[in-house]
Amino acid sequence: MRILLIEDNPDHALFTQRVLKRADRGYEVDSAAEAKEASKKIAEENYDLIICDYRLPDSSALDILKEMRQKGKDLPFIAVTSSGSEKIAVELMKEGAYDYLVKDSSYESALPLVIQRALDRFNVTKEKERLEKELKESNEKLKQMYAIKSEFTSMVSHELRTPLTAIKEGITIVLDGSAGGINDQQREFLEIAKKNVDRLKRLIDDVLDFSKLESKKLEFKMRESNINEIIRDAAETQKVVAEEKGLYLKTELSPEMPIIEFDRDRISQVLANLISNAIKFTERGGITISSVKNEKENIIEVCVRDTGEGIKDEDLPKLFQKFQQLGGKDERKSGGTGLGLAISKEVIEQHGGKIWAESEYGKGSAFKFTLPIKRRYKILIIDDDNVVLDVCEKFLKEKEYIILRSETGREGIKIAQEELPDLIILDIRLKDISGYEVIGRLKSARETQDIPILAMSGYIDEIYKIKNQVRELALPCISKPFNKDEVLSTTKSLLGK
């Protein structure tokens, strides 16, 4: 493994080379005393790692690092210095340095470990980049395949619908007598033909719907509604069909259902499918449709329960798979694509809910689905830097969080006690009181002691202190300058989402 050592002090350069030789890890060390010489070697030679003194006669480690990034040279870079300046360390890490080492009594023992850590991190990063690239390429191929399939499905559906419309209209004209009189036998056959044309249209619609749902191309018209209204409409529509079979169809709806956001047409489609299946597979008794609000999980639950023949245990896992029809061909009660429940599953899941079935063979079945009651989490940001407040507020609001903000610790404590946010993002170094005092006062008050806190700091010593010396508080901590994705993922984790 080739290492470039950039060091203007000959004694320290020799010392470092001896340390690396004693490490006995096969390091091949090349050296440069000035930035100009180092830049030329980096451009012309292949190195696995760079160790660079921060201060050089004609430049600095920071300048070399910036030049490398501009020229697309991505190598593990370790900066060494005689002084342990936190400001310098932060600048170097921001620019992409892998580590920072002080020339003190621990330098000799620490250097081989720091090198190995930098190489391990570099290799993990490169492997991650490779896997992400492969994944991206695979996803692009899948998207292309889905696009071709969706386009084909749409085209075939359109081509089938056009002649079907002409056939249906022709049959309707003959049945109406507009084309002349027909006898009873002719009418009977034409009615059969009309029903099968309608059935074929439904099958085509199912295939097209599922294709759009699967490729996420079906747009949902989300608006606030009461689920009980949709259930009543769906039950009323199917009631005549149930009564023709001698079945009851009733509703048991919770009177205090919240207004939630969903696509009325698509949820009506799910209900129609579940109720239709229940009627189809029930010979005695009837169907009950119920709704209930689950406060603990912040969802509503709808259930379509029947007194039919039930479902065998081995068939339950197949229910929501596409093109699945239960039982052997002699047991099936009617034809179809086997897409009804698969479509229902896609619709419910794209609403953020779940759908499942419970059954005891010979005693009936219950098909249940949930829809989320949308909750907006409240986050308090306490930071004396308006830029940080503005940036955090912007990207957190994009995720539909409610944002409260404060520039001082005292005001932040007051807001926390009054508003009781779901999460507090706190800068440790504030102008009026320290972040530690804010944490102590919040944790000592009963109403705020359980609010999770995400600490932030631009000082390395503070981050070390929070992570290693304040363990009893179990505070997660993010260093400044922060990464937006890291803040969002940590926020999501702390809120239990």
Side-chain angles (χ1 to χ4, degrees):
M1 188 187 73
R2 298 193 71 203
I3 295 175
L4 175 62
L5 172 63
I6 308 170
E7 172 62 71
D8 64 316
N9 184 320
D11 292 337
H12 200 274
L14 183 61
F15 176 69
T16 300
Q17 288 176 345
R18 287 174 177 170
V19 169
L20 294 175
K21 187 176 180 180
R22 280 198 295 270
D24 197 24
R25 296 187 184 181
Y27 298 138
E28 180 186 335
V29 183
D30 194 3
S31 62
E34 295 181 349
K36 187 176 180 181
E37 180 189 2
S39 296
K40 188 172 184 296
K41 288 193 172 187
I42 292 169
E44 296 175 355
E45 303 286 338
N46 291 320
Y47 296 104
D48 299 296
L49 181 136
I50 294 173
I51 301 172
C52 183
D53 186 25
Y54 181 76
R55 297 194 184 280
L56 297 167
D58 56 344
S59 187
S60 71
L62 193 60
D63 293 330
I64 292 175
L65 194 52
K66 286 179 180 178
E67 183 183 347
M68 284 175 57
R69 296 295 173 256
Q70 287 169 1
K71 293 181 177 179
K73 285 284 185 179
D74 187 13
L75 293 170
F77 191 100
I78 299 170
V80 295
T81 181
S82 299
S83 63
S85 169
E86 292 172 7
K87 185 180 178 182
I88 291 173
V90 170
E91 286 177 347
L92 285 163
M93 302 306 268
K94 277 170 63 178
E95 199 59 42
Y98 274 65
D99 220 321
Y100 176 81
L101 195 57
V102 179
K103 298 175 184 177
D104 58 14
S105 58
S106 65
Y107 179 79
E108 182 176 356
S109 59
L111 183 59
L113 298 174
V114 169
I115 290 173
Q116 191 58 51
R117 187 168 62 197
L119 288 169
D120 290 344
R121 182 181 160 198
F122 180 77
N123 291 334
V124 168
T125 301
K126 287 300 171 186
E127 179 65 11
K128 182 183 175 185
E129 288 174 357
R130 184 187 68 80
L131 292 173
E132 285 176 348
K133 184 181 177 183
E134 288 182 4
L135 183 61
K136 186 178 180 180
E137 290 172 354
S138 298
N139 283 337
E140 287 301 319
K141 288 179 183 177
L142 283 173
K143 284 178 183 177
Q144 290 173 9
M145 291 170 63
Y146 269 121
I148 293 168
K149 185 186 76 170
S150 297
E151 188 177 343
F152 176 76
T153 304
S154 180
M155 180 192 69
V156 170
S157 299
H158 175 74
E159 293 300 320
L160 287 172
R161 279 173 168 172
T162 303
L164 273 179
T165 301
I167 293 168
K168 183 177 179 180
E169 288 306 310
I171 293 171
T172 302
I173 289 170
V174 175
L175 284 171
D176 288 347
S178 303
I182 57 174
N183 60 41
D184 290 343
Q185 189 177 32
Q186 290 170 331
R187 181 174 295 279
E188 181 183 351
F189 285 128
L190 285 169
E191 289 287 359
I192 293 171
K194 185 173 181 293
K195 284 181 181 177
N196 279 280
V197 168
D198 289 339
R199 178 173 166 238
L200 185 54
K201 182 181 178 299
R202 287 195 299 272
L203 296 179
I204 293 169
D205 288 343
D206 277 354
V207 171
L208 188 58
D209 274 356
F210 187 76
S211 176
K212 286 181 177 179
L213 281 163
E214 200 175 35
S215 60
K216 305 293 187 287
K217 285 187 177 179
L218 189 65
E219 290 185 8
F220 289 93
K221 298 174 183 176
M222 306 294 283
R223 62 190 181 96
E224 293 185 340
S225 302
N226 189 320
I227 192 69
N228 285 349
E229 293 177 10
I230 308 299
I231 295 172
R232 289 190 191 97
D233 290 344
E236 194 63 33
T237 303
Q238 303 260 19
K239 196 168 187 179
V240 176
V241 183
E243 288 174 347
E244 284 176 355
K245 282 189 71 174
L247 305 173
Y248 65 78
L249 198 163
K250 63 180 182 177
T251 59
E252 295 178 353
L253 309 178
S254 175
E256 297 181 0
M257 294 297 283
I259 301 297
I260 62 169
E261 197 175 64
F262 60 92
D263 185 318
R264 291 174 64 97
D265 291 338
R266 292 299 165 185
I267 297 301
S268 294
Q269 181 185 8
V270 171
L271 283 165
N273 183 43
L274 297 181
I275 297 168
S276 175
N277 283 349
I279 294 171
K280 189 189 302 180
F281 293 99
T282 302
E283 300 301 329
R284 292 182 299 276
I287 295 94
T288 303
I289 312 164
S290 61
S291 68
V292 66
K293 177 184 177 183
N294 185 324
E295 295 274 5
K296 186 177 180 181
E297 296 186 25
N298 209 38
I299 56 172
I300 64 157
E301 183 179 299
V302 177
C303 174
V304 178
R305 187 180 299 277
D306 64 59
T307 59
E309 62 188 49
I311 303 164
K312 296 175 181 176
D313 289 343
E314 61 267 27
D315 286 333
L316 280 169
K318 306 174 190 175
L319 279 175
F320 298 97
Q321 296 176 12
K322 55 188 175 183
F323 307 118
Q324 285 289 336
Q325 292 177 305
L326 302 186
K329 63 181 181 180
D330 297 330
E331 296 176 83
R332 293 174 187 162
K333 305 226 171 192
S334 65
T337 57
L339 283 174
L341 289 176
I343 289 171
S344 298
K345 181 175 184 288
E346 286 289 334
V347 169
I348 295 301
E349 288 183 353
Q350 289 191 37
H351 273 76
K354 295 179 182 178
I355 186 168
W356 71 97
E358 299 170 357
S359 184
E360 187 176 349
Y361 190 61
K363 293 187 178 181
S365 306
F367 282 78
K368 301 179 179 181
F369 68 84
T370 65
L371 293 173
I373 301 170
K374 196 171 182 180
R375 179 186 172 187
R376 294 187 67 192
Y377 290 93
K378 194 186 298 182
I379 299 175
L380 168 61
I381 309 168
I382 306 174
D383 199 302
D384 55 13
D385 188 330
N386 265 309
V387 174
V388 173
L389 288 170
D390 290 341
V391 170
C392 287
E393 181 173 9
K394 185 178 184 300
F395 68 70
L396 288 169
K397 271 191 172 179
E398 286 174 358
K399 299 299 179 182
E400 299 191 345
Y401 294 115
I402 298 169
I403 303 301
L404 307 169
R405 50 190 282 173
S406 172
E407 294 179 30
T408 67
R410 290 188 179 89
E411 183 190 33
I413 293 168
K414 184 180 178 184
I415 293 173
Q417 291 170 340
E418 291 173 354
E419 297 289 340
L420 298 179
D422 299 291
L423 173 68
I424 296 171
I425 297 177
L426 172 68
D427 184 27
I428 291 299
R429 293 207 178 181
L430 300 167
K431 289 178 180 177
D432 59 338
I433 58 174
S434 77
Y436 298 109
E437 184 176 341
V438 174
I439 294 167
R441 288 171 63 176
L442 290 173
K443 292 297 179 184
S444 62
R446 189 173 62 180
E447 66 271 20
T448 57
Q449 63 184 4
D450 294 325
I451 298 174
I453 297 173
L454 171 58
M456 289 201 300
S457 177
Y459 297 88
I460 291 177
D461 59 331
E462 294 288 0
I463 295 166
Y464 178 84
K465 184 176 180 182
I466 294 165
K467 288 184 176 180
N468 297 280
Q469 296 179 21
V470 200
R471 292 179 180 176
E472 65 274 10
L473 296 178
L475 287 181
C477 184
I478 290 177
S479 61
K480 291 181 179 179
F482 53 76
N483 178 286
K484 168 186 167 183
D485 292 333
E486 184 183 6
V487 175
L488 287 173
S489 63
T490 308
T491 296
K492 190 175 180 181
S493 174
L494 289 171
L495 291 172
K497 293 174 69 180

